[in-house]
DNA sequence: GCCAAAAATGGAACAGCTTCCATCCAGTAT
DNA sequence: ATACTGGATGGAAGCTGTTCCATTTTTGGC
C-alpha cells in the first residue's frame, strides 16, 4: 500500500508539500500540485482515514441519532441528511435507538468515543445528565424536533400544526373532532406529541367546541396501533366523531383503513387529516400537513456542518422553525352524515 | 484530555501493560488490570478511536450499503443489522445510494478509504469492475440479495418465492393471474425482480395457464407506482385478471387501494398476494410471503463479523438461503366473480 | 528445592498523516 | 541596488495507541 511518503518521493517533493497538495490547505505551486496528483494516481494512493483523523483531529464523520429508522418520517429525514453529508464528503454513522433499546449504550458509550465531528439528534428528549454528558464531549450537536436545552434545534411549530389541522376540520363544519396522538412517555419525543395535542385542544376551545375524554386517543405512531384505536373509537355510532386529526400520516392510514373496515365512507362519514407528507397519502387521498422531512434532514446537516467547520463560531438562531404546508386532498370534507344515522 | 500514558503512569505500570489491560488482549495480572481500570476511571479516560484504529488496523466500524433507506424492506433489514452491530460493539456507517444518485461516489470514494472493517452490501448488483474494486480494497464483504460473484451472499430463493406465491393463487382456483414486479434495470436488484418473475412464469406454465403480456407489469417497488399500474391493469373489465402477485408488500398495498378505488371487492373480485412481511399487511389483511428482513440483517452481520474476526478464515456457505413463510390472510380467496360480470 | 514452561512486563518501534516553524526565493516598493 | 513581503517548501515533532521482542517473574511438576 502506497503511503503519502511514496507519493511525495515519486513527485519529487517533501511529504509536507504532498500533504498540502492533496488536502488543498496551505499554499502549493501549481507545478507541485500537479506532480503530486500524478504520482498519487499512478500509485493508486488512498489516504489512510485513521492516520489523517488522528493527526488532524477531524474525522469527516457525523453521527445521526434517532429513535426509529423504520418509520417514514425518520427514514425520510435520514435520507435528506445522507444526501447533504454525501455531498459534503462526510460519512454518516447511524445510531438507531430502536425505541429505547439502545438508548443507554448510544448515549453512554458510542457517542463519547470521540470519533465524530458532530452529532445530529433527531426527536431526542435528553435529561439534564445526558445533555451535560454530550456537551462535555465537546462536539457540536444539532437537534431536530426539540427543543433540547443548550443545543441549537430545528423544529416545526407543533402547537401550530395541531391548531391548523384542527381548524381545517372545524372550518369545514366539524364539531365532533377526535385526536389520535403519540405517546406521552418522557424520554421520547414528548414535546412533539404534546405540542400537537395542545394545538388541537386550543383550536377546539377557541371554537367553543367540547373536548371529550373518549375522543383523545394515544397510540405508538404506528398504523397498526392507530387502526385498533380508531376501530374502538368508531364502534359506537352514537358517540362517533365526524372527524379525526392524526398526529402522523401513518396513524392516519390506520384510521382510514379502520373506518373503511367498519363500512364508513371517507370523507362523508369521517374526515381524516394527518401530519407528515407521506407519499402514500396521495393514493389514499389523505389530507395532511406536510412537514418536508427530507428538507429537515438536509437543513439540519447544513447547520451542523457550519458549526463543525466554523469551529464553534456563530451558530445561527438557537431555535429554527421549519416550514409546513397544509395539503388538502379527499379525506376531508364537510360532515355529511348519511340518512339513517342520527346526529349528535 | 487524559491519554493512555497518563493512565499507565497513575496505575504505576508501563504503557504497554495499560494497553493490554484496557483491551483485554494479552496477559495482564489481576492486580495490574485493576490498577489500570481504577486509574482510567479516575481520569475519565476515553480511548482515542483514531489512534487505536491506526495502530491496530481495526476500526470496529462496518459499512452498510443499500439502495434506499426509505423502503420498508431496507429499513427493516437495517434495523436488524443495527441491532447486531450494537450488540457486538461496532459502529454502523450508512451508505444510502438513493436509487443510483450516490452509487458512484459510494463505490468509488467512500468505500475505499480503508476505514471500515467490513461491508454489508444489500441488494447491490455490481459489475465486474466494481466487484474487483471492492475486493481489491481487501475488506470482507457480505451481500444480501445477490448473488454477487466472489462474495458470500445471503438471499432468499426468489424463484421459489415467485412460484409459491403464484401457486397459492392457482391452488385457490385462479387462472387469470397477473404479476406486478420490479424494475429490470441492471445495476439494481435485477436478480430479485427477475427471480420472482421467473417463478411466476414457471408456476403458470406448469399449471398450463396462459401468460399475457398485459398481465405482466413493472413498477419501481413503490405503492404509488403500483397503484397506477394496477388501475390501468384493472380498467378493462373483460381483460381483467382475478388475482395479482406483487413482488413486494408495498406494491400490494398500492394494488389493493387501486382495486378498492375501482369498486372491486377484495378478495371476491381480486385476490392480492405480496412479498415481505410488512406490519401494515395485518390491517389490510394482506396475504404475503414473509421474508423476515430484520432477521436477514442480523444474520448478515453475524456472517460478516465472523469474516472480520476470523481474519479471512472459513466463510460458511458462499450462498446462504434464508427462510420465508407464506402468511395467508384475507386478501386471497377462490375467485368469486359477482353476478353481472362476464367471465373469461 | 530445581528447572522448564508460561505468564507478566517494559522499552521502543511503529501506524500514516498534519502542521508548526524556519528557510528560501521571487517579486515589488523605494 | 536594497530591503521588504508573502508564497512555497522541507524538516521534524506531533497525534495516541498497539504490538513485537526481550527480559523478568511465576507457576507447576518431580
Amino acid at each position: 500500500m502506497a503511503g503519502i511518503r511514496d507519493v511525495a518521493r515519486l513527485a519529487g517533493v517533501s511529504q509536507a508539500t504532498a500533504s498540502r497538495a492533496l488536502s488543498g490547505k496551505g499554499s502549493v505551486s501549481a507545478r507541485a500540485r500537479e506532480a503530486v496528483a500524478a504520482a498519487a494516481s499512478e500509485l493508486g494512493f488512498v489516504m489512510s482515514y485513521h492516520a489523517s483523523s488522528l493527526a488532524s483531529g477531524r474525522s469527516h464523520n457525523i453521527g445521526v441519532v434517532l429513535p426509529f429508522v423504520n418509520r417514514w418520517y425518520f427514514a425520510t429525514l435520514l435520507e435528506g441528511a445522507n444526501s447533504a453529508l454525501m455531498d459534503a464528503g462526510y460519512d454518516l454513522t447511524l445510531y438507531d435507538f430502536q425505541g429505547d433499546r439502545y438508548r443507554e449504550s448510544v448515549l453512554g458509550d458510542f457517542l463519547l468515543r470521540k470519533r465524530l465531528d458532530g452529532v445530529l439528534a433527531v426527536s431526542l428528549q435528553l435529561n439534564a445528565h445526558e445533555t451535560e454528558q454530550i456537551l462535555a464531549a465537546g462536539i457540536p450537536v444539532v437537534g431536530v424536533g426539540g427543543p433540547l436545552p443548550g443545543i441549537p434545534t430545528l423544529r416545526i411549530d407543533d402547537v401550530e400544526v395541531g391548531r391548523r389541522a384542527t381548524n381545517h376540520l372545524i372550518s369545514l363544519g366539524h364539531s365532533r373532532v377526535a385526536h389520535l396522538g403519540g405517546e406521552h412517555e418522557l424520554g421520547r419525543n414528548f414535546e412533539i406529541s404534546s405540542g400537537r395535542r395542545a394545538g388541537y385542544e386550543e383550536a377546539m376551545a377557541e371554537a367553543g367546541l367540547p373536548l371529550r375524554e373518549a375522543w383523545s386517543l394515544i397510540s405508538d405512531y404506528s398504523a397498526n396501533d392507530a387502526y385498533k384505536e380508531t376501530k374502538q373509537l368508531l364502534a359506537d355510532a352514537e358517540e362517533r366523531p365526524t372527524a379525526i386529526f392524526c398526529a402522523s400520516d401513518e396513524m392516519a392510514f390506520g384510521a382510514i383503513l379502520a373506518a373503511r373496515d367498519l363500512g364508513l365512507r371517507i370523507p362523508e362519514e369521517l374526515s381524516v387529516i394527518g401530519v407528515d407528507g407521506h407519499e402514500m397519502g396521495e393514493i389514499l387521498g389523505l389530507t395532511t400537513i406536510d412537514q418536508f422531512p427530507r428538507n429537515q434532514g438536509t437543513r439540519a446537516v447544513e447547520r451542523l456542518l457550519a458549526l463543525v467547520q466554523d469551529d464553534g463560531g456563530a451558530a445561527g438562531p438557537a431555535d429554527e422553525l421549519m416550514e409546513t404546508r397544509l395539503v388538502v386532498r379527499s379525506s376531508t370534507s364537510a360532515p355529511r352524515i348519511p340518512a339513517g344515522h342520527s346526529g349528535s
Side-chain angles (χ1 to χ4, degrees), chain A:
Chain A
M1 279 279 120
I4 203 173
R5 283 177 172 79
D6 305 302
V7 173
R9 195 175 311 129
L10 180 57
V13 300
S14 73
Q15 205 186 135
T17 298
S19 173
R20 281 186 288 250
L22 289 168
S23 71
K25 318 238 173 212
S27 49
V28 184
S29 66
R31 195 167 42 75
R33 191 187 321 282
E34 281 154 25
V36 169
S41 101
E42 180 173 337
L43 295 175
F45 171 72
V46 180
M47 180 124 68
S48 160
Y49 168 79
H50 298 301
S52 171
S53 300
L54 175 58
S56 70
R58 305 215 151 293
S59 62
H60 277 238
N61 196 181
I62 296 292
V64 175
V65 183
L66 36 73
F68 295 100
V69 76
N70 199 5
R71 301 249 171 102
W72 186 85
Y73 169 76
F74 296 107
T76 305
L77 193 152
L78 179 59
E79 208 173 78
N82 178 70
S83 281
L85 287 170
M86 278 279 174
D87 291 343
Y90 277 71
D91 270 342
L92 189 168
T93 301
L94 179 69
Y95 299 98
D96 177 4
F97 276 7
Q98 303 196 15
D100 280 338
R101 183 165 166 201
Y102 293 107
R103 184 190 179 90
E104 300 229 336
S105 32
V106 168
L107 257 30
D109 299 351
F110 285 88
L111 244 39
L112 303 181
R113 292 186 196 165
K114 36 180 166 172
R115 82 189 70 184
L116 302 170
D117 287 348
V119 171
L120 192 59
V122 185
S123 289
L124 206 50
Q125 203 79 21
L126 298 177
N127 61 36
H129 174 61
E130 291 168 335
T131 308
E132 191 185 339
Q133 213 174 13
I134 281 203
L135 290 178
I139 64 177
V141 180
V142 164
V144 177
L148 297 174
I151 293 175
T153 304
L154 233 67
R155 63 187 186 86
I156 59 173
D157 184 337
D158 285 295
V159 177
E160 178 57 25
V161 164
R163 299 171 66 109
R164 194 131 62 112
T166 309
N167 280 330
H168 171 68
L169 297 170
I170 293 173
S171 72
L172 287 170
H174 292 274
S175 57
R176 306 167 61 86
V177 179
H179 175 56
L180 178 50
E183 296 171 298
H184 274 188
E185 202 177 326
L186 225 115
R188 301 279 184 90
N189 30 19
F190 171 63
E191 298 278 348
I192 293 171
S193 307
S194 65
R196 293 180 196 170
R197 184 174 303 277
Y200 158 72
E201 291 173 355
E202 283 178 24
M204 291 294 277
E206 282 166 20
L209 297 173
L211 289 170
R212 297 207 199 173
E213 186 89 19
W215 289 354
S216 196
L217 308 178
I218 292 175
S219 105
D220 66 5
Y221 276 102
S222 75
N224 285 9
D225 199 38
Y227 177 90
K228 282 178 211 132
E229 293 289 336
T230 306
K231 247 189 167 168
Q232 278 186 23
L233 170 70
L234 300 177
D236 182 351
E238 296 307 314
E239 292 298 315
R240 189 180 289 159
T242 61
I244 180 165
F245 157 43
C246 298
S248 83
D249 282 352
E250 279 165 305
M251 288 198 270
F253 297 160
I256 289 178
L257 294 176
R260 286 190 180 178
D261 283 358
L262 290 171
L264 297 177
R265 282 181 308 152
I266 290 175
E268 290 81 356
E269 293 168 89
L270 185 74
S271 283
V272 178
I273 185 171
V275 176
D276 272 351
H278 196 305
E279 296 93 357
M280 240 180 86
E282 291 172 26
I283 61 180
L284 273 160
L286 178 65
T287 294
T288 191
I289 297 198
D290 195 338
Q291 65 168 320
F292 309 102
R294 197 172 200 295
N295 195 35
Q296 291 178 17
T298 61
R299 177 64 186 143
V301 165
E302 274 175 35
R303 290 287 306 272
L304 183 54
L305 291 185
L307 280 182
V308 168
Q309 286 159 358
D310 292 20
D311 206 19
D319 199 26
E320 181 174 342
L321 278 185
M322 302 295 290
E323 190 196 359
T324 58
R325 185 162 61 207
L326 174 65
V327 178
V328 179
R329 299 205 187 90
S330 58
S331 70
T332 52
S333 75
R336 295 195 290 270
I337 309 277
H341 284 247
S342 63
S344 149

